[in-house]
Amino acid sequence: MKHLPSAIIFTMFTAAAGIAASSEQPSPLPNIVLIYGDDIGHGDLGCYGATEVKTPNVDRLASEGLRFTDAYCTSATCTPSRYSLLTGEYAFRQKGTGVLPGDAALIIKPGRATLPSILREAGYKTAAIGKWHLGLGTARGELDWNGEITPGPLEVGFDYAFIMAATPDRMPCVYVENHRVANLDPKDPIQVSYKKPLSNEPTGKKDRASLKMDWSHNHNNGIVNGIPRIGFMTGGKAALWKDEDMADVFTKQALSFIEREKNHPFFLYFALNDVHVPRAPNPRFVGKTTLGPRGDAIVEFDDCVGRIMQKLDELHLTDRTLVIVSSDNGPVLDDGYKDGAEEKLGKHTPSGPLRSGKYSRFEGGTRIPLIVWWPGRVKPGVSNAIVSQVDFPVSLGALAGQKPDASTMPDSLNILPALLGESSKGRDNVVELGGGLALRSGKWKYVAPGKIRDGLGPGKTLKLPPPGLLFDLSTDPGETKDLAAAHPEKVQEMAALLEKIANGSQEKSLQ
């Protein structure tokens, strides 16, 4: 990692931002707030065409900033997307980067270059608040939840962390602040198991009639807050979260961090739980839509965005804060609980014009909302540049005057001009992971042979025979017409390029 002198960093930033340098009153590096939704689809927000749910705060950012139509996470599930966003490396390059259980070990190697470590070297204070789902500790199932929990976010570049270990549908249902479970009573130690029940306590399977939220598949182990989860847990009663308060708890922590660091450049990775299952929005949002808990959770997500923006306004930080709003993967309806997401969908289209959603390498699984907002720096508009979250480490690092060694972030490109709206040129291609690989290159989309999920729930799985599928996304964003037979040479070309990239020979032509 190359660490540039602060004078050079300042010069690079002021030049990039069009600000005249002054030795008497130097401008600080911009604050960066990355608001990361969970399972929010391309059609879930008003600024992307949603009419059945209102998202005024996100829509404000879209109208005042840059809204991307062709932005991608790297995977149709959360763990690999988060891994890629923080490391600059496609998750398929590393074993063990699939959806993790709640007792998984940390999958980001401490000491490697990451998005927060790059920014910290440039002088930023960094925080991870919200969903983590990248593992904790060094060995699965051997973590002592009652002592020091390490390694974790603090060992991969964050100065402060207030997180849930995995997902809200997985044990343990507690918050972890830095290296310890928050509010834990040492007289009531925690035990976690993903193999068998730890006691005679109720489970979703044998005590189904007592649940306040019923399960549809898989989520029938231990019960917390009347909701059955995956895995089992005993103890830690004082530390258990209440799902309905989760968004408020995380947002309060995010606001406190902004307040503490208002006089320093800061990077806030604010990874909200909404709209992941179990969907249990705060009572003040219940009934705000006709879509049931999923729609109400979208409104709750929007409210959290609004509270962050209000704090930036109050502290007069808006002009020097870059805000990014995005999602970890596409949408899903029935993801393990009977919450009416399918029955109450009505006219709402979570993936917009795109096909399928979470778990799928069709466009609905990996093409996600992306809004970049920075008053006076990013002009309002819409961009169709192809951009990927895997590029955030190198691109945001460049904004801070940092340039990591290419070998540490093999897939991350410097697409900062595209992110800031200065160029319509983004990536030449992007790999999509979802039960296999797919490749977007220009207007073309190639889906490799193999099994692929289709739909917005447990639904159907298709088996794609060779040579795979080919779509022209410029005329067919919904991937309805397979052109593989009509363009065999294009299929061969894209299959060869995908294999080349998968084998590690991605050209960093934009860096």
Side-chain angles (χ1 to χ4, degrees):
M1 172 74 66
K2 297 179 181 178
H3 182 63
L4 301 180
S6 58
I8 296 178
I9 294 174
F10 167 64
T11 302
M12 293 176 67
F13 166 66
T14 52
I19 302 172
S22 168
S23 58
E24 297 179 358
Q25 193 174 10
S27 298
L29 293 166
N31 305 311
I32 301 173
V33 177
L34 173 54
I35 304 175
Y36 210 38
D38 200 325
D39 296 354
I40 293 179
H42 201 271
D44 274 331
L45 305 172
C47 53
Y48 281 89
T51 58
E52 304 302 300
V53 58
K54 305 300 181 184
T55 55
N57 296 301
V58 176
D59 295 351
R60 170 203 162 187
L61 296 183
S63 66
E64 297 176 0
L66 191 61
R67 180 175 65 84
F68 288 82
T69 62
D70 293 67
Y72 291 84
C73 57
T74 63
S75 174
T77 51
C78 49
T79 295
S81 282
R82 292 160 197 268
Y83 176 88
S84 297
L85 181 149
L86 293 178
T87 66
E89 177 181 53
Y90 282 132
F92 63 76
R93 300 200 189 282
Q94 296 292 334
K95 293 182 179 180
T97 55
V99 178
L100 296 180
D103 61 351
L106 180 66
I107 60 173
I108 299 177
K109 184 178 180 180
R112 75 167 292 168
T114 63
L115 171 56
S117 74
I118 291 172
L119 296 177
R120 187 163 67 179
E121 285 194 23
Y124 282 77
K125 294 293 185 179
T126 60
I129 295 173
K131 178 177 171 179
W132 182 240
H133 209 186
L134 292 164
L136 296 168
T138 58
R140 180 181 176 186
E142 297 182 8
L143 189 66
D144 180 7
W145 294 97
N146 307 290
E148 188 175 43
I149 299 171
T150 183
L154 272 59
E155 284 65 51
V156 296
F158 290 104
D159 296 307
Y160 176 76
F162 189 94
I163 60 171
M164 69 167 77
T167 62
D169 58 341
R170 286 170 169 79
M171 301 293 192
C173 295
V174 295
Y175 301 118
V176 177
E177 184 172 22
N178 293 330
H179 286 144
R180 293 190 176 271
V181 170
N183 303 315
L184 178 64
D185 181 354
K187 298 178 181 179
D188 184 24
I190 293 172
Q191 282 187 287
V192 175
S193 172
Y194 274 74
K195 296 180 179 179
K196 60 182 180 180
L198 294 164
S199 70
N200 233 1
E201 293 192 0
T203 69
K205 185 173 290 187
K206 69 182 179 69
D207 298 279
R208 196 166 189 170
S210 68
L211 301 174
K212 74 178 184 182
M213 182 181 294
D214 197 9
W215 55 275
S216 59
H217 57 278
N218 299 334
H219 299 70
N220 55 20
N221 296 155
I223 301 172
V224 171
N225 190 30
I227 301 173
R229 321 279 171 158
I230 298 173
F232 302 93
M233 171 185 173
T234 60
K237 300 298 184 184
L240 295 175
W241 67 52
K242 184 178 179 182
D243 302 75
E244 292 85 351
D245 296 336
M246 186 175 289
D248 285 342
V249 169
F250 284 146
T251 302
K252 180 180 178 181
Q253 292 292 334
L255 297 177
S256 295
F257 173 76
I258 293 173
E259 183 76 43
R260 289 196 305 271
E261 305 301 338
K262 61 187 177 184
N263 295 322
H264 309 278
F266 61 79
F267 168 57
L268 171 61
Y269 172 59
F270 186 34
L272 284 159
N273 171 61
D274 291 325
V275 295
H276 196 283
V277 297
R279 301 165 186 132
N282 189 276
R284 69 182 185 275
F285 298 105
V286 174
K288 291 294 184 180
T289 72
T290 60
L291 306 179
R294 187 176 187 277
D296 298 344
I298 296 174
V299 175
E300 183 173 64
F301 170 80
D302 182 73
D303 178 76
C304 295
V305 173
R307 290 162 68 186
I308 295 295
M309 301 311 300
Q310 182 179 7
K311 174 60 71 173
L312 294 176
D313 287 340
E314 288 176 358
L315 298 177
H316 307 290
L317 297 175
T318 52
D319 290 343
R320 54 189 177 96
T321 301
L322 169 65
V323 177
I324 300 172
V325 179
S326 195
S327 178
D328 65 343
N329 51 247
V332 62
L333 298 178
D334 180 354
D335 205 20
Y337 295 94
K338 296 181 178 180
D339 63 1
E342 289 192 56
E343 297 83 351
K344 298 179 180 181
L345 188 61
K347 298 178 181 178
H348 184 63
T349 54
S351 294
L354 308 178
R355 182 173 178 175
S356 197
K358 185 177 182 179
Y359 306 112
S360 176
R361 59 189 185 277
F362 285 126
E363 289 292 283
T366 56
R367 202 195 299 192
I368 38 76
L370 176 64
I371 297 162
V372 175
W373 179 91
W374 186 2
R377 182 67 181 87
V378 174
K379 295 179 180 179
V382 178
S383 173
N384 62 0
I386 299 175
V387 299
S388 172
Q389 293 171 1
V390 76
D391 299 321
F392 285 2
V394 166
S395 300
L396 297 179
L399 182 63
Q402 299 289 85
K403 185 177 181 181
D405 186 287
S407 65
T408 66
M409 295 180 168
D411 302 297
S412 193
L413 306 180
N414 183 1
I415 58 166
L416 185 62
L419 285 177
L420 299 183
E422 298 169 346
S423 172
S424 60
K425 173 68 172 176
R427 283 181 151 260
D428 292 328
N429 56 69
V430 62
V431 177
E432 304 171 58
L433 173 64
L437 297 179
L439 178 69
R440 165 83 187 269
S441 181
K443 71 175 185 177
W444 295 103
K445 167 75 174 284
Y446 168 67
V447 183
K451 293 182 179 179
I452 184 171
R453 184 79 68 90
D454 202 9
L456 293 176
K460 59 183 179 180
T461 298
L462 307 178
K463 187 174 182 180
L464 306 181
L469 304 175
L470 181 71
F471 302 104
D472 180 349
L473 297 180
S474 66
T475 58
D476 182 24
E479 298 170 291
T480 62
K481 187 177 180 181
D482 177 23
L483 302 176
H487 298 278
E489 72 292 340
K490 178 57 70 172
V491 171
Q492 184 177 9
E493 173 192 326
M494 294 193 68
L497 178 57
L498 179 57
E499 182 178 5
K500 180 180 179 182
I501 295 172
N503 288 335
S505 10
Q506 171 74 55
E507 295 293 334
K508 290 194 151 192
S509 58
L510 298 180
Q511 188 164 301

